[in-house]
């Protein structure tokens, strides 16, 4: 998991300078114009748990991938399985061709922190090949202006606001009827286990 610090870079705490180690920070995210309709200037990497998904560029033989061609909508909810946790985020940015090679698996510093703690910085991510990213096609994956707390002050607050949409999207994956009948407070752990099993199977493929 590489660390992204693009966007509205105002930290949530005065002494959080972890993004200063980044050497490729951009002043905006890919969907800034869309997210402005939600009442904020841009995604904040310290608050909004977003995934960098898709590759753009014009270099010769540069691999290009546009998730929208697969039905994935900008600012839609994504699920990330990392460090035995299920974290919800949104598709909030894309990779350009400014690096030496195309990349997958980049995420905002807030999402990385939710996964692996405060050791994550703009220059220090997670090197293990043990993270699963799930994107969901369709308009129902987009929380819109009122389906998420875009004005949250912490990443915990923002991530929790995505849970109603995220839990519903994860139900697209077949799970036992007994799990669907569980009380609300136990459904998400059951879904976490399910997605973790999917991740394990993917790593073993």
């Amino acid at each position: 998991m590489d660390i992204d610090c693009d966007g509205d870079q105002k930290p949530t705490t005065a002494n959080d300078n972890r993004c200063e180690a980044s050497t490729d920070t951009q002043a905006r995210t890919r969907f800034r114009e869309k997210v402005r309709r939600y009442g904020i200037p841009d995604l904040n990497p310290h608050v909004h748990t977003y995934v960098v998904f898709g590759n753009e560029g014009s270099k010769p033989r540069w691999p290009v991938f546009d998730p929208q061609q697969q039905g994935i909508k900008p600012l839609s909810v994504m699920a990330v399985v990392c460090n035995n946790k299920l974290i919800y985020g949104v598709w909030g940015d894309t990779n350009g061709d400014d690096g030496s090679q195309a990349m997958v698996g980049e995420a905002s510093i807030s999402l990385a922190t939710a996964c692996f703690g405060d050791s994550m910085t703009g220059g220090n991510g997670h090197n293990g090949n043990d993270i699963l990213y799930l994107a969901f096609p369709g308009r129902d994956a987009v929380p819109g202006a009122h389906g998420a707390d875009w004005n949250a002050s912490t990443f915990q607050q923002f991530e929790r606001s995505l849970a109603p949409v995220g839990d519903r999207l994860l139900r697209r994956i077949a799970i036992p009827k007994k799990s669907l009948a569980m009380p609300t407070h136990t459904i998400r752990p059951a879904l976490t286990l399910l997605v973790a099993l999917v991740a394990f199977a993917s790593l073993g493929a």
Side-chain angles (χ1 to χ4, degrees), residues 10 23 64 106 115 118 131 158 173 186 194:
K10 182 179 179 181
T23 59
V64 174
E106 190 174 8
C115 290
D118 290 339
I131 301 172
F158 178 71
I173 304 171
T186 62
L194 172 69

Side-chain angles (χ1 to χ4, degrees), residues 12-29:
T12 55
T13 57
N15 60 350
D16 188 350
N17 58 1
R18 291 178 297 149
C19 273
E20 292 181 3
S22 176
T23 59
D24 60 351
T25 298
Q26 306 292 322
R28 59 166 295 167
T29 61

Side-chain angles (χ1 to χ4, degrees), residues 12-190:
T12 55
T13 57
N15 60 350
D16 188 350
N17 58 1
R18 291 178 297 149
C19 273
E20 292 181 3
S22 176
T23 59
D24 60 351
T25 298
Q26 306 292 322
R28 59 166 295 167
T29 61
R30 179 66 174 81
F31 306 120
R32 181 178 65 178
E33 300 308 319
K34 291 181 181 293
V35 82
R36 279 180 170 176
R37 302 172 194 168
Y38 299 166
I40 58 174
D42 200 350
L43 294 176
N44 183 327
H46 297 277
V47 173
H48 300 107
T49 49
Y50 68 77
V51 177
V52 183
F53 188 39
N55 292 289
E56 302 174 340
S58 57
K59 288 182 179 179
R61 295 185 296 278
W62 187 265
V64 174
F65 172 64
D66 181 4
Q68 295 187 73
Q69 294 184 356
Q70 307 302 319
I72 311 300
K73 305 298 183 183
L75 302 175
S76 59
V77 171
M78 295 184 66
V80 181
V81 179
C82 54
N83 198 23
N84 297 317
K85 301 174 184 177
L86 170 64
I87 307 296
Y88 289 127
V90 295
W91 175 27
D93 208 356
T94 58
N95 271 300
D97 61 0
D98 52 326
S100 59
Q101 59 184 359
M103 297 181 63
V104 295
E106 190 174 8
S108 68
I109 192 167
S110 61
L111 199 157
T113 300
C115 290
F116 301 108
D118 290 339
S119 64
M120 299 290 99
T121 72
N124 178 56
H126 176 74
N127 293 325
N129 187 24
D130 54 1
I131 301 172
L132 176 70
Y133 300 84
L134 291 174
F136 302 91
R139 294 188 180 278
D140 62 333
V142 181
H146 305 294
D149 188 357
W150 300 100
N151 286 291
S153 57
T154 66
F155 73 79
Q156 295 95 335
Q157 184 180 352
F158 178 71
E159 195 270 343
R160 282 195 301 268
S161 76
L162 299 175
V165 176
D167 288 352
R168 173 171 49 78
L169 293 171
L170 282 181
R171 287 187 176 88
R172 292 181 180 178
I173 304 171
I175 61 177
K177 290 183 178 179
K178 288 183 179 180
S179 295
L180 291 175
M182 289 179 180
T184 302
H185 68 278
T186 62
I187 289 177
R188 194 172 183 192

